[in-house]
Amino acid sequence: SGRAVQPRKPCRIMPIKTKLTEALGIEHPIIQGGMHYVGYAEMAAAVSNAGGLGIVTALTQPNAEALRKEIRKCRSLTNKPFGVNVTLLPALVPPNYEAYAKVIIEEGVKIIETAGRNPKKFIRFFKKNGCYVIHKCVAIKHALTAQRLGADMISMDGFECGGHPGEDDVGNWILLAQAKRKLKIPFVASGGCANGAQLAAALALGAEGLNMGTRFMATKEAPIHDNIKQALVKGDEKSTTLVMRSVRNTERVYKNSVAKQVNRRKKGGRGQYRQ
């Protein structure tokens, strides 16, 4: 026709707005969940700077004052919202949770991810101090309890998750559908979450976004050895296994020789362990 072809204008991807993004002032409905020895300031800040919600893991720090320094480091690396994870797990010598919680408040952190055993004391403490509390749990009954205690949002953690999937063995297709029916507060999907298709599926099931952990371990910002990252990328749906089931502290881990040995010894009764 002789007419000059006009170059197309670059397409701008519009952010997805949900109750999660609106409540926390973030651009994308993605949370980087708490991860022991992964959730440092650099990791959390990178996620927050990219428009998600980065989270510093409290118990990765040896004590409350070390957590204070890590929070300050994170704040020096980003001016975007970030949170702190406080996970309550069984231990022979429990950490000083109260000291960690006190530092979180003193440092002005307003977004908290709680997880693990009975969160009553800490949900109420953080709410009393004006925080937005996201409680991660693996069962609807626990989500309802957290809702009653005053949690603002639930991170519904399916059996697919890395770390601690609980003892009920219920996957996200069931949990998310039930959460939509039974909860009055918003929730996000957690466990086996890694891509945009899963985000779309979670939103369709009523979730307000995704909580991702293992997926962020495969990023360049994650403070873990590159061989571990490569193993995660190369792994498939059969590359994990469950340990500590017999003591009702089930944990999903990478299926390596150590994990296999743990399960073999568990099945065989007492084993000889070298110090």
Side-chain angles (χ1 to χ4, degrees):
S1 63
R3 291 183 296 176
V5 177
Q6 297 297 319
R8 291 184 177 182
K9 293 182 179 180
C11 178
R12 184 176 183 273
I13 299 175
M14 296 298 292
I16 299 173
K17 289 187 177 182
T18 71
K19 292 178 181 178
L20 172 66
T21 62
E22 292 176 349
L24 304 186
I26 59 178
E27 187 176 358
H28 306 298
I30 302 292
I31 299 172
Q32 166 250 311
M35 292 177 283
H36 211 30
Y37 299 113
V38 178
Y40 291 100
E42 292 83 355
M43 177 86 260
V47 174
S48 290
N49 285 333
L53 178 72
I55 290 184
V56 172
T57 303
L59 296 188
T60 290
Q61 302 304 319
N63 54 57
E65 285 307 307
L67 174 61
R68 188 190 303 278
K69 293 179 181 178
E70 198 69 13
I71 290 171
R72 292 179 178 179
K73 180 190 291 187
C74 190
R75 189 165 283 126
S76 74
L77 297 172
T78 183
N79 60 1
K80 303 289 183 67
F82 68 92
V84 173
N85 165 277
V86 178
T87 298
L88 311 165
L89 292 175
L92 293 176
V93 182
N96 189 345
Y97 290 113
E98 290 79 6
Y100 283 97
K102 183 172 181 286
V103 162
I104 291 168
I105 297 304
E106 288 175 350
E107 290 302 312
V109 177
K110 290 299 182 182
I111 304 170
I112 312 296
E113 179 189 58
T114 56
R117 302 298 171 95
N118 190 349
K120 178 179 179 179
K121 177 179 180 180
F122 292 96
I123 288 179
R124 290 183 171 173
F125 173 78
F126 288 124
K127 289 305 301 175
K128 180 181 177 181
N129 285 279
C131 297
Y132 190 95
V133 177
I134 304 169
H135 183 65
K136 184 189 292 181
C137 51
V138 298
I140 297 297
K141 65 178 181 180
H142 298 152
L144 291 170
T145 297
Q147 175 180 269
R148 187 174 69 251
L149 293 173
D152 298 283
M153 182 173 285
I154 298 296
S155 182
M156 207 72 249
D157 209 15
F159 186 60
E160 305 91 332
C161 73
H164 298 273
E167 312 304 322
D168 295 337
D169 302 3
V170 181
N172 265 330
W173 282 110
I174 304 300
L175 280 180
L176 300 183
Q178 287 290 83
K180 177 64 176 176
R181 288 180 56 202
K182 296 187 176 183
L183 293 177
K184 295 180 181 178
I185 59 176
F187 64 95
V188 296
S190 180
C193 301
N195 59 37
Q198 289 168 317
L199 172 59
L203 295 175
L205 283 166
E208 302 296 334
L210 294 183
N211 178 89
M212 301 195 304
T214 307
R215 175 63 185 86
F216 280 114
M217 291 175 66
T219 62
K220 65 180 182 180
E221 292 86 359
I224 61 177
H225 198 284
D226 192 63
N227 288 352
I228 299 175
K229 299 179 185 182
Q230 293 303 320
L232 293 174
V233 172
K234 293 176 182 178
D236 60 22
E237 72 278 8
K238 297 182 290 183
S239 295
T240 68
T241 189
L242 301 170
V243 297
M244 297 194 292
R245 301 221 80 180
S246 60
V247 294
R248 296 187 63 78
N249 189 24
T250 301
E251 188 168 2
R252 184 178 298 281
V253 299
Y254 191 81
K255 191 190 294 182
N256 58 18
S257 59
V258 174
K260 292 177 182 177
Q261 185 181 24
V262 168
N263 282 334
R264 280 198 304 269
R265 293 188 175 188
K266 179 188 67 176
K267 290 179 181 178
R270 291 184 178 181
Q272 298 297 320
Y273 293 88
R274 295 180 181 178
Q275 294 184 346

